[in-house]
Amino acid sequence: MSKLYKYLSLRYPHIDTNQYYDNFDSLRISINNDRCKRMVNILLLLNIIFIIVDLTIYKSMRVKAPSYVYLYYSHIIISLLIILWLVLLNLQENKRFTSLNPKFFYSSFLNLILYWGVFMGLNNAYISGQITGYIVCVLATSVYLYLKPVEAFLTYSSSLIILIVSLVFTVNNENLLYTHIINASIVVILSYIISKINFLNFLKEFIHKKKILQSKQELEKINVKLKEYEKLRTDFFANISHELKTPINVIFCAEQIIDFSLKQNQCNNDNLSKYLKMIKQNSYRLTRLIGNLIDITKIDALNFEVKLINADIIQVVEDITMSVAAFVEDKGISLVFDTEIEEKIIAFDPNQIERVILNLLSNAIKFTDKAGEIFVSIYLKDNNVCISVKDTGIGIPNDMLNSIFDRFIQVDNALPKNHEGSGIGLSLVKSLVEMHKGSINVNSKLGEGSEFIVSLPDTIISNSQQTLNSTNMEDDYIKKINIEFSDIYQ
């Protein structure tokens, strides 16, 4: 009984079509109209044959039986209505008559065929005692057209009511009348169930195809992204090869010159100092590049840890900023440090935060011309300690702001050689900040400079045993600066 109720119910299982309902209904209407067009052609040909039969075989019977007269005129009327329907459809398809909704055509045909079926059923009941014409029309439309459950119910039930009322006035035999009513009702219920099953199957097939299409589109998008990523990866490794090869070549050339000078007894202290400095800087550059590659690999493998301790973030940022002041000033750039708080103890890894600040300062120096300015400031906002590194350099294009922290991305790949980088610096910075449960954002305008803002949570950890070791701090900073600034040439 529950299954019967399910099929008789005007409702149908909830299937989410909201996102493409218009497409679904448009397709359903289009298919219905195409199928009606084929049915109309068959029906028109059939009625022409009926008219010929009426004019030849049934002509003599029309005098004795009025039902044959009605039958003859019904064939003529239905043929004219079909021709009118075809003309309107053709005008609508050729955009000459657009005031009618496409749904009008299959709806009008549906009512046309059903009420013609009612008339045929009444004639059959009078001539042969059967209502075959009505049964055939109702079953045919239920199988052939995709009708919504409510639409099918209203159409079939209204035709049934008209048929029953007409039978009451035309059939005198009470038993035969009840038989016709029962048969017509069963056929209508059966047709409604067929219509509903037909509609639901079409709906499920449509959604299935849509999901397949969406999956295909998503796969295509993923494929495009994978190709883009593969290109970035290829470019990255080509760039890394260049980044590794350049300092090695410099070191090798400096070593050859020193060796040649020693063999020729032409080596003086100034030349020796110059080439040793080249070797040292490019060794630092290799150390920085290899260290970044190792760390980014560890981060990807979830094998990198930050060692949090409770320490004064103001002191760390100020010390690292002041330690690069002489280097920045030698470049003709002004460096300003400012803080609205004198001391702030939070949980962070001093070594990694120093690395983050040095990386951001290194970028600021590289992309700021002489007479430019770099501002480092610290302030509190929304339970976060915010560290801002702002410059008046060349800025970042708007189309690159969303990808500035992506792996393998180089914003500066079109810049001169002294601005080149590996494409993993900012990606590593972002990873280190996020491992502190913080975030990093960038504000920039091309030609006016950039501002990187690191936000660290204002939290402390319990049982922090470690403290900052101030011993040899200056030497440690000098070493870190030499490594982080190794790709900035004089």
Side-chain angles (χ1 to χ4, degrees):
M1 288 297 292
S2 60
K3 287 186 177 181
L4 180 61
Y5 173 77
K6 174 184 173 183
Y7 287 123
L8 290 178
S9 172
L10 293 178
R11 295 179 299 175
Y12 48 90
H14 174 70
I15 302 174
D16 184 18
T17 59
N18 292 333
Q19 54 182 329
Y20 31 66
Y21 176 81
D22 290 340
N23 289 338
F24 165 72
D25 215 42
S26 177
L27 179 63
R28 181 181 71 90
I29 291 169
S30 177
I31 291 175
N32 279 345
N33 283 338
D34 287 341
R35 292 188 170 187
C36 285
K37 193 188 297 185
R38 289 194 289 270
M39 285 180 70
V40 157
N41 291 327
I42 295 170
L43 193 61
L44 180 61
L45 179 62
L46 191 63
N47 273 275
I48 291 171
I49 294 171
F50 285 159
I51 290 171
I52 295 170
V53 171
D54 288 335
L55 291 173
T56 54
I57 299 174
Y58 295 151
K59 186 176 181 180
S60 57
M61 298 180 184
R62 291 207 303 269
V63 179
K64 300 178 181 178
S67 58
Y68 286 103
V69 177
Y70 302 148
L71 201 61
Y72 170 64
Y73 285 113
S74 74
H75 293 150
I76 293 175
I77 292 170
I78 198 72
S79 299
L80 292 174
L81 290 174
I82 289 171
I83 292 169
L84 175 62
W85 188 91
L86 286 170
V87 169
L88 290 175
L89 180 64
N90 185 65
L91 290 172
Q92 198 267 347
E93 288 178 345
N94 292 325
K95 309 298 182 185
R96 296 176 184 175
F97 191 74
T98 57
S99 61
L100 292 177
N101 190 303
K103 187 178 178 180
F104 162 82
F105 293 98
Y106 87 81
S107 298
S108 58
F109 170 77
L110 178 63
N111 285 283
L112 180 68
I113 187 109
L114 284 179
Y115 294 122
W116 182 62
V118 169
F119 181 80
M120 293 292 289
L122 291 172
N123 256 295
N124 288 339
Y126 184 81
I127 295 170
S128 61
Q130 301 295 326
I131 54 170
T132 310
Y134 178 75
I135 292 173
V136 170
C137 288
V138 174
L139 287 174
T141 54
S142 68
V143 171
Y144 204 57
L145 298 180
Y146 296 123
L147 303 178
K148 292 181 180 179
V150 173
E151 190 177 39
F153 174 80
L154 292 175
T155 306
Y156 297 147
S157 59
S158 61
S159 68
L160 177 62
I161 292 170
I162 292 172
L163 177 68
I164 292 173
V165 171
S166 301
L167 287 172
V168 168
F169 287 101
T170 55
V171 177
N172 297 321
N173 187 319
E174 191 173 316
N175 290 332
L176 190 59
L177 174 63
Y178 291 147
T179 301
H180 289 331
I181 292 173
I182 292 171
N183 288 340
S185 300
I186 291 172
V187 167
V188 165
I189 293 170
L190 181 61
S191 296
Y192 169 75
I193 293 173
I194 293 172
S195 280
K196 186 171 180 180
I197 294 171
N198 202 23
F199 175 81
L200 287 177
N201 287 338
F202 173 65
L203 177 60
K204 290 175 181 177
E205 184 182 0
F206 173 82
I207 292 174
H208 180 66
K209 287 180 178 178
K210 273 289 183 182
K211 287 181 177 178
I212 291 175
L213 181 61
Q214 285 180 343
S215 299
K216 185 179 178 182
Q217 290 172 343
E218 287 173 3
L219 285 173
E220 287 175 354
K221 288 180 182 177
I222 292 171
N223 191 39
V224 169
K225 287 183 179 179
L226 286 174
K227 286 180 180 178
E228 290 175 355
Y229 184 83
E230 180 62 24
K231 184 179 182 304
L232 288 173
R233 193 180 67 86
T234 303
D235 292 343
F236 168 75
F237 281 110
N239 185 56
I240 283 293
S241 300
H242 168 74
E243 286 289 308
L244 287 169
K245 188 177 180 181
T246 298
I248 289 172
N249 284 340
V250 173
I251 292 169
F252 185 60
C253 288
E255 183 274 333
Q256 284 184 316
I257 292 171
I258 293 172
D259 183 59
F260 178 79
S261 298
L262 288 171
K263 287 179 181 178
Q264 299 295 321
N265 294 319
Q266 295 176 353
C267 186
N268 57 54
N269 288 338
D270 290 339
N271 285 337
L272 185 61
S273 176
K274 173 185 173 182
Y275 292 119
L276 285 175
K277 185 178 179 182
M278 288 172 59
I279 290 172
K280 189 174 184 180
Q281 180 179 10
N282 284 279
S283 296
Y284 280 136
R285 187 176 176 186
L286 283 173
T287 301
R288 178 177 184 267
L289 181 59
I290 293 168
N292 284 348
L293 284 171
I294 291 171
D295 288 342
I296 208 74
T297 303
K298 284 183 178 180
I299 289 171
D300 286 344
L302 304 178
N303 196 29
F304 189 97
E305 292 183 5
V306 292
K307 299 175 181 178
L308 302 179
I309 64 170
N310 296 329
D312 185 2
I313 187 67
I314 309 297
Q315 177 193 338
V316 170
V317 176
E318 183 177 8
D319 288 348
I320 200 70
T321 303
M322 292 301 101
S323 67
V324 304
F327 184 93
V328 175
E329 288 171 3
D330 286 343
K331 293 286 182 181
I333 301 170
S334 173
L335 177 63
V336 178
F337 176 80
D338 182 44
T339 175
E340 63 180 30
I341 44 178
E342 296 302 321
E343 182 183 66
K344 187 63 182 177
I345 306 297
I346 64 169
F348 66 100
D349 184 332
N351 289 325
Q352 303 309 328
I353 293 303
E354 287 165 5
R355 194 171 174 188
V356 167
I357 302 304
L358 281 173
N359 188 287
L360 296 178
L361 285 170
S362 171
N363 282 338
I365 295 167
K366 277 196 290 185
F367 301 119
T368 303
D369 295 329
K370 284 186 177 181
E373 293 179 303
I374 297 174
F375 303 91
V376 179
S377 58
I378 307 176
Y379 54 91
L380 298 178
K381 183 179 179 181
D382 299 331
N383 294 321
N384 285 302
V385 177
C386 298
I387 306 165
S388 166
V389 179
K390 185 177 181 180
D391 62 65
T392 57
I394 61 174
I396 302 168
N398 286 331
D399 59 343
M400 294 299 297
L401 286 175
N402 292 330
S403 58
I404 186 74
F405 297 106
D406 290 350
R407 190 74 50 83
F408 309 148
I409 292 291
Q410 277 186 278
V411 177
D412 52 333
N413 57 4
L415 294 174
K417 186 176 178 61
N418 65 325
H419 290 108
E420 287 183 347
S422 63
I424 57 175
L426 286 176
S427 173
L428 180 58
V429 164
K430 182 183 179 184
S431 297
L432 292 175
V433 171
E434 288 178 345
M435 292 180 79
H436 282 78
K437 309 298 183 185
S439 63
I440 182 168
N441 297 291
V442 59
N443 301 314
S444 184
K445 192 170 183 181
L446 197 61
E448 297 184 11
S450 304
E451 180 184 17
F452 288 85
I453 302 171
V454 175
S455 298
L456 299 175
D458 183 5
T459 57
I460 59 173
I461 56 174
S462 58
N463 302 321
S464 175
Q465 301 295 327
Q466 290 181 300
T467 58
L468 278 178
N469 184 8
S470 58
T471 308
N472 298 323
M473 186 72 77
E474 186 176 347
D475 292 337
D476 187 45
Y477 281 153
I478 291 171
K479 182 180 178 182
K480 289 177 180 177
I481 291 166
N482 286 332
I483 291 173
E484 288 297 332
F485 290 6
S486 59
D487 56 353
I488 302 176
Y489 295 98
Q490 299 297 331

